[in-house]
């Protein structure tokens, strides 16, 4: 995945270069600057002393010393003064110049902190948009893996309308599941009272126990349908095999959809935030088994409708259910015509879900 957001301590990132949110002196400070100098050791400060400082929006490179990263790219973010003093352009320059410096030094992977969003007071949500814009623009013409490292459990986009709308959509879906489940159990209970009093009493015990357990859990009760046991082998048709034999495999369907749009492969996999190596595996193996986030990354890149998305998922053996945040977020975005994969990933990140394009098995 060329661009990924991760929750981590940047000094632990095993990449070619990490970026330091420094000050103009380059002689160390607090926050991530302090953490990097502590982890790199005193030789870092000695080398920084030779650099003669750095202008806001610019970047300079040193070795990484005791860090896992080979290099440290020091950049100086703007101090936030309300947004009308060129802060956005300066912050964009921090990302752009750091990426250029990384490419000039042969780096294949770079990790950024959220520059200027600590002591310098830049609003996180706006800083995130600047970072995502600059990084994704750079990645259109460069093969590199870029991480945006979020420290601890900071929230970035909870103020956004999209986040609030999706939060509401998920809560409604879980409420609906609870109502459906209750109605189903009510019906089962009524039927039992008419036929078998003892069994009805046992069911009552079971229901009160499960309602109590749900109350103890924060997450919504799983949708019964999603948990129906798969048909035992030998019991009726083997749907997996039948689905597999439908007209084409996932990889054949994907290549057909790309051809229908007269796109190049590169245009499609970059739009899907999928790296070249993964795409060539899919292209060369008609039976390639992708992860669900990978299938959905292509569905978003191809701007498929919800029914088309479900068809593509089925070819890879997946479906969209209404019983987990990941599926509900994708269902909301696709049904509302939001195909901005990086914006969708920001929401998935906020909900601690796998990001589109990641190979994470679900
Ligand atoms: N790993 C990743 N991110 C971190 C870490 C870490 N170990 N420590 C802090 N951060 C995050 C903060 O949570 C914040 O989101 O880095 C972001 C930037 O915060 P600061 O480090 O305060 O940097 P900035 O806002 O750019 O201010 C720079 O602070 O430390 C001084 O010398 C520095 O004067 C300069 C100013």
């Amino acid at each position: 995945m060329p661009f990924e957001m991760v929750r981590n301590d940047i000094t632990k990132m095993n990449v070619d270069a990490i970026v330091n949110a420094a000050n103009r002196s380059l002689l160390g400070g607090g926050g991530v600057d302090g953490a990097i100098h502590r982890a790199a050791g005193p030789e870092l400060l000695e080398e920084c002393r030779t650099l003669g400082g750095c202008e806001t929006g610019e970047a300079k490179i040193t070795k990484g010393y005791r860090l896992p990263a080979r290099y440290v790219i020091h950049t100086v973010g703007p101090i936030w003064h309300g947004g009308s003093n060129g802060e956005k352009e300066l912050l964009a320059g921090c990302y752009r110049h750091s990426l250029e410096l990384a490419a000039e030094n042969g780096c294949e992977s770079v990790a950024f902190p959220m520059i200027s969003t600590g002591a310098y007071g830049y609003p996180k949500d706006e800083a995130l948009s600047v970072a995502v814009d600059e990084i994704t623009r750079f990645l259109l013409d460069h093969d590199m893996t870029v991480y945006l490292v979020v420290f601890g459990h900071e929230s970035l986009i909870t103020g956004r309308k999209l986040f609030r709308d999706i939060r509401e959509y998920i809560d409604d879906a879980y409420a609906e599941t609870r109502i459906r489940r209750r109605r189903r159990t009510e019906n089962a209970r009524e039927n039992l009272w008419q036929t078998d009093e003892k069994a009805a009493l046992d069911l009552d015990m079971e229901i009160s126990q499960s309602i109590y357990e749900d109350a103890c859990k924060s997450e919504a009760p799983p949708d019964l349908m999603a948990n129906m046991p798969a048909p035992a082998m030998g019991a009726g048709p083997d749907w997996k095999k039948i689905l597999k034999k439908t007209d084409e495999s996932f990889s054949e369907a994907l290549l057909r959809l790309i051809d229908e749009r007269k796109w190049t492969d590169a245009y499609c996999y970059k739009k899907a935030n999928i790296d070249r190596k993964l795409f060539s595996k899919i292209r060369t193996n008609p039976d390639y088994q992708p992860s669900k986030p990978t299938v959905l990354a292509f569905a978003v890149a191809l701007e498929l409708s919800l029914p088309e998305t479900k068809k593509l998922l089925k070819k890879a053996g997946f479906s969209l259910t209404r019983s987990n945040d990941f599926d509900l977020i994708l269902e909301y975005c696709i049904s509302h015509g939001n195909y901005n994969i990086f914006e969708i990933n920001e929401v998935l990140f906020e909900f601690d879900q796998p990001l589109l394009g990641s190979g994470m098995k679900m």
Side-chain angles (χ1 to χ4, degrees), residues 22-291:
N23 57 55
R24 292 177 61 219
S25 74
L26 296 189
L27 300 180
V32 72
D33 195 1
I36 289 175
H37 274 273
R38 280 192 298 278
E43 302 91 334
L44 179 61
L45 184 56
E46 273 163 44
E47 185 174 355
C48 283
R49 284 207 173 95
T50 68
L51 297 177
C54 180
E55 285 308 311
T56 301
E58 297 301 324
K60 293 195 175 175
I61 195 166
T62 65
K63 291 191 206 68
Y65 299 104
R66 298 177 200 173
L67 286 159
R70 207 155 33 115
Y71 297 107
V72 178
I73 293 173
H74 307 265
T75 190
V76 181
I79 297 172
W80 179 255
H81 293 297
S84 47
N85 297 276
E87 292 97 326
K88 185 175 175 185
E89 293 66 32
L90 287 168
L91 184 61
C94 288
Y95 287 96
R96 195 170 50 254
H97 295 130
S98 299
L99 287 165
E100 286 162 359
L101 210 42
E104 284 158 24
N105 287 274
C107 297
E108 291 182 358
S109 53
V110 185
F112 282 94
M114 289 283 289
I115 302 164
S116 281
T117 63
Y120 282 3
Y122 208 113
K124 292 190 188 304
D125 185 352
E126 293 181 43
L128 178 63
S129 303
V130 172
V132 171
D133 286 353
E134 283 307 313
I135 293 168
T136 52
R137 186 174 304 123
F138 177 85
L139 288 174
L140 286 178
D141 314 316
H142 296 81
D143 268 351
M144 195 184 274
T145 301
V146 181
Y147 297 93
L148 189 58
V149 182
V150 178
F151 196 48
H153 270 269
E154 292 174 333
S155 289
L156 304 176
I157 61 162
T158 44
R160 268 190 208 165
K161 183 176 178 317
L162 176 64
F163 175 82
R164 290 197 307 274
D165 291 351
I166 289 180
R167 173 75 278 163
E168 202 179 311
Y169 186 78
I170 290 175
D171 293 344
D172 292 352
Y174 286 153
E176 241 174 68
T177 305
R178 269 197 293 277
I179 291 164
R180 267 209 321 273
R181 183 177 185 216
R182 197 148 298 134
R183 205 169 289 139
R184 206 179 281 124
T185 6
E186 280 308 313
N187 296 343
R189 196 156 119 192
E190 262 145 53
N191 298 342
L192 263 179
W193 275 111
Q194 272 132 38
T195 52
D196 177 344
E197 206 165 291
K198 175 162 174 348
L201 276 170
D202 293 348
L203 178 64
D204 268 4
M205 285 300 290
E206 204 184 297
I207 290 169
S208 38
Q209 177 62 23
S210 74
I211 290 172
Y212 168 73
E213 279 162 11
D214 278 348
C216 299
K217 277 188 296 183
S218 55
E219 74 272 8
D223 178 312
L224 280 188
M225 296 309 287
N227 287 357
M228 293 303 263
M233 287 312 284
D238 177 348
W239 290 109
K240 261 223 161 37
K241 269 224 185 76
I242 292 176
L243 281 178
K244 215 78 185 107
K245 285 221 183 66
T246 47
D247 42 1
E248 58 189 351
S249 70
F250 162 76
S251 131
E252 287 159 347
L254 173 64
L255 298 177
R256 171 176 56 77
L257 290 161
I258 295 173
D259 292 346
E260 283 169 2
R261 287 157 176 77
K262 299 188 179 20
W263 287 358
T264 63
D265 289 351
Y267 177 76
C268 182
Y269 67 71
K270 285 198 178 273
K271 200 165 182 279
N273 193 29
I274 295 279
D275 65 40
R276 186 167 35 84
K277 285 180 228 118
L278 174 54
F279 184 82
S280 57
K281 272 192 219 155
I282 296 173
R283 167 168 271 293
T284 49
N285 173 3
D287 290 329
Y288 182 82
Q289 179 51 47
S291 71

